Amino acid sequence: MSSGRHRMRSKIRGVAAAASATALVVVAAGSWFGYRELVKPSCSGEIELSVAVASELAPAVDAAASKWVEDGAAVGGTCIAVNVSASDPVDVAAVVAAKHGAILAGVGQASGTAVTPDVWIPDSSTWLLRLKKEATAFAPTNGASVARSPVVVAMPVPVADRIGWPETKLGWADLLKQVNSSKPLRTGIVEPTRDAAGLSGLMSLTAAASSVGGDAQGNTVGALRALATGRSALRNDLLARFPTANDPTAIASGLGAAALSEEDVIAYNSKKPPVELAALYLEPAPAPLDYPYAVLPGIEPAKASAARVLFEVLTTAGFRDRLAAVSLRAPDGNWGAGFKAPQGAPSPAGGPPTAAADGGTAAGGLDPVAIDRVVSSWSIATQTGRMLAVIDVSGSMKDEVPTANNRSREEVTVEAARRGLGLFDDSWQIGLWTFSTNLVGSRDYKELVPIGPLSGQRGKLEGALSGIRPSDGNTGLYDTMLAAYKTVQEDWQPGRVNSIVLFTDGKNEDDNGISQQQLLSQLKRLADPERPVQVIIIGIGEGVSKAELDSIVKVTGGGSFVTKNPTEIGNIFLKAIALRPPAPR
């Protein structure tokens, strides 16, 4: 899905110094500024540099590139045609992820017609960090910011007035109180797995929830679900929910708050709506939209040279004024001539972001693990499903984990499952098994709680988890997996993701059970594309065979995750659930 913003596409090519809308760009390695006097009237050959730019920034980039060409830039004899396209970051992210064999939670599959650009200027470095986290081969260069827009909480002015704006300095903890109050503020968010401003706001709100004291996870889940009830897939759909009339009824029934960019608020108010939006700059400041200039890996040297020169064009003093014309700031937070800052806007808004295309710390001090955790938690808290959790209780689960104060693997695994359970709302259906060898007579698995609605058995599940202890048996993986698959498939339900999540720290060690070949053969026979069962296997420690686990999920669909550090199980569990495809309908 797109953000709902406008789209544009411009192709700059032709003869150097032409005054038309299309013109020639001829570049080689080195600085554009040192070569302007070497302009030639013609050139030979042509290489097209494709540049995908976040929609709101695209007009400024397009205009700067056109002016650069009109002024002339020619070295050597190679022509560069620059194709600037306004592209929603989520669409480009899907394409890049697919190229690297990765999937980003909530992003979905790439369009069959989409292509990877040479240069990508998304609205936020969080896109680069998410991609780098999932695709280690993704290594763009540069990554420096070319523009900036603070992330704010947008409120109808009458609503903002009631909570003390602009005189009172407000923080995210104050907003959290409004969200979780007995008369909660009507909040909304653009789907944060697909929108960088929504993700930035979500991270700030969940950070506040975890730091206010009391039940941190309960506070966080409450905030997630409050936002989820008011989420929108498209930014324009969210904006349309703000009050459309300046009367108490319309204001009370309209959207009361949403995390958006400063540019969004300026653009909205420029249309002179009946009720304008206030931009609240809450503390601590969330990660801004920082518009990183990412040269994607694998482009040829001539294109890389063109990309270096274009970057210099976008860092000139004159480009700051072009940014102001589209309501964006320069990377350092200052603004150019003509910028009309919202009331209460800081100037500048902090220091420049320190985005890093190599996967390091990004704007606002964010890191890939923190982003991954928030995205996964959101995905779980806002979807519904039917899941059988299957936990290994073989003897090796007694092993101590030094990084977890010498608690056992079993304790660490159970704690991860318990925390995950807290994120599922009552619409979920969950069951719980344990497995080893000969747990119930000659059977390797034991049902602790049958699959059923959480609304009626959350307490049973929590109690069953608390009672799990390792046995003295081995790992009866194959028999257990087959039985679990049959169980979930038997009562398969439409409109939900039907899944198995199995935790294990070893390979199959059941001499009396079925073989790997028999397991895979039966799973292939049972697999039904009309009734899919997603299998997620989380392997713990050194004794797991990744090849063994992969052979299973290759047949069933789903994924396998292996970690040598059991303390990572919690994050892996969240990530595994979040990456599941939508339920078939």
Side-chain angles (χ1 to χ4, degrees):
M1 296 181 183
S2 69
S3 68
R5 289 179 169 171
H6 71 278
R7 287 188 170 275
M8 61 165 287
R9 183 173 293 274
S10 172
K11 185 163 290 186
I12 308 168
R13 62 166 81 235
V15 179
S20 62
T22 60
L24 173 69
V25 183
V26 184
V27 297
S31 170
W32 164 58
F33 303 102
Y35 294 127
R36 291 185 62 179
E37 70 276 10
L38 302 179
V39 173
K40 304 294 183 183
S42 64
C43 62
S44 62
E46 181 178 270
I47 294 177
E48 183 173 298
L49 182 71
S50 60
V51 184
V53 187
S55 299
E56 64 274 23
L57 176 61
V61 173
D62 188 57
S66 297
K67 183 63 167 61
W68 168 40
V69 174
E70 290 169 9
D71 286 347
V75 176
T78 304
C79 303
I80 305 293
V82 180
N83 181 356
V84 177
S85 61
S87 304
D88 293 318
V90 67
D91 294 335
V92 181
V95 175
V96 174
K99 181 177 180 180
H100 290 272
I103 301 174
L104 298 186
V107 168
Q109 299 297 319
S111 166
T113 59
V115 296
T116 306
D118 301 315
V119 176
W120 181 27
I121 313 179
D123 53 4
S124 171
S125 290
T126 55
W127 290 111
L128 305 182
L129 293 174
R130 290 177 67 188
L131 283 163
K132 181 63 178 176
K133 183 73 165 55
E134 301 305 327
T136 55
F138 176 68
T141 55
N142 196 324
S145 175
V146 298
R148 181 182 176 97
S149 189
V151 171
V152 302
V153 171
M155 281 188 184
V157 169
V159 176
D161 286 341
R162 286 202 298 268
I163 62 173
W165 174 85
E167 290 81 11
T168 303
K169 192 68 174 177
L170 299 169
W172 287 96
D174 299 307
L175 180 64
L176 183 66
K177 291 177 183 177
Q178 296 285 335
V179 170
N180 289 336
S181 70
S182 57
K183 294 182 179 180
L185 185 68
R186 293 171 64 91
T187 54
I189 192 170
V190 185
E191 187 68 41
T193 58
R194 304 175 60 85
D195 182 85
L199 176 58
S200 178
L202 179 66
M203 294 195 72
S204 290
L205 192 64
T206 55
S210 65
S211 64
V212 295
D215 181 5
Q217 178 156 318
N219 292 335
T220 301
V221 172
L224 291 174
R225 291 181 183 155
L227 289 174
T229 60
R231 70 186 187 275
S232 296
L234 302 178
R235 187 180 294 104
N236 284 348
D237 290 347
L238 182 83
L239 292 170
R241 292 167 47 210
F242 282 113
T244 55
N246 194 11
D247 64 78
T249 300
I251 292 170
S253 61
L255 184 63
L260 294 167
S261 71
E262 180 184 72
E263 182 271 334
D264 285 323
V265 173
I266 296 172
Y268 183 90
N269 288 341
S270 70
K271 298 175 183 177
K272 305 298 182 184
V275 181
E276 290 197 345
L277 296 179
L280 277 63
Y281 297 80
L282 301 189
E283 295 294 340
L289 301 187
D290 63 330
Y291 300 92
Y293 187 91
V295 181
L296 298 191
I299 70 171
E300 56 197 82
K303 288 187 177 185
S305 296
R308 284 194 292 271
V309 179
L310 179 58
F311 174 72
E312 291 190 35
V313 172
L314 303 184
T315 55
T316 62
F319 189 64
R320 180 169 299 205
D321 293 340
R322 294 192 189 279
L323 292 173
V326 293
S327 303
L328 292 171
R329 299 169 182 245
D332 62 2
N334 285 298
W335 51 69
F339 184 88
K340 297 180 180 179
Q343 186 174 0
S347 174
T354 54
D358 62 359
T361 301
L366 298 179
D367 67 81
V369 174
I371 295 169
D372 201 41
R373 187 182 302 118
V374 169
V375 167
S376 299
S377 298
W378 169 264
S379 297
I380 294 172
T382 58
Q383 67 178 341
T384 187
R386 177 173 174 269
M387 183 181 78
L388 176 60
V390 184
I391 298 178
D392 191 345
V393 291
S394 61
S396 55
M397 292 291 282
K398 299 175 184 178
D399 291 356
E400 294 181 346
V401 181
T403 54
N405 296 321
N406 291 324
R407 290 189 299 164
S408 70
R409 287 180 181 173
E410 198 74 75
E411 290 175 303
V412 173
T413 301
V414 167
E415 178 61 23
R418 180 182 288 111
R419 292 183 65 83
L421 181 65
L423 286 173
F424 301 128
D425 68 21
D426 285 348
S427 69
W428 277 75
Q429 296 186 16
I430 308 288
L432 178 63
W433 289 10
T434 55
F435 78 101
S436 177
T437 50
N438 304 318
L439 271 189
V440 182
S442 61
R443 199 176 71 195
D444 293 343
Y445 55 92
K446 180 178 181 180
E447 180 183 83
L448 300 184
V449 181
I451 300 174
L454 268 180
S455 56
Q457 62 181 35
R458 190 181 293 272
K460 291 181 182 178
L461 284 162
E462 291 173 347
L465 284 168
S466 297
I468 289 178
R469 299 290 185 273
S471 71
D472 293 322
N474 294 322
T475 306
L477 176 62
Y478 296 159
D479 281 0
T480 301
M481 177 55 68
L482 182 59
Y485 193 91
K486 289 178 177 179
T487 297
V488 174
Q489 191 182 61
E490 182 179 0
D491 293 318
W492 188 93
Q493 292 187 8
R496 296 176 181 268
V497 176
N498 293 255
S499 65
I500 299 162
V501 178
L502 183 144
F503 301 83
T504 185
D505 74 340
K507 299 184 288 288
N508 185 71
E509 298 170 327
D510 183 7
D511 295 335
N512 298 318
I514 60 174
S515 67
Q516 182 182 39
Q517 183 177 356
Q518 288 172 320
L519 171 65
L520 299 180
S521 176
Q522 292 200 52
L523 288 175
K524 286 178 183 177
R525 180 178 56 81
L526 291 168
D528 181 354
E530 298 298 321
R531 296 162 61 86
V533 175
Q534 296 293 316
V535 174
I536 297 164
I537 308 177
I538 300 175
I540 309 158
E542 302 280 355
V544 176
S545 168
K546 183 69 161 63
E548 181 181 65
L549 305 187
D550 286 344
S551 71
I552 297 171
V553 299
K554 184 177 179 180
V555 174
T556 61
S560 66
F561 303 80
V562 175
T563 177
K564 295 180 181 179
N565 182 359
T567 60
E568 297 177 355
I569 296 172
N571 288 339
I572 291 173
F573 179 42
L574 299 184
K575 177 179 174 181
I577 300 297
L579 286 181
R580 294 179 305 164
R585 298 186 182 277

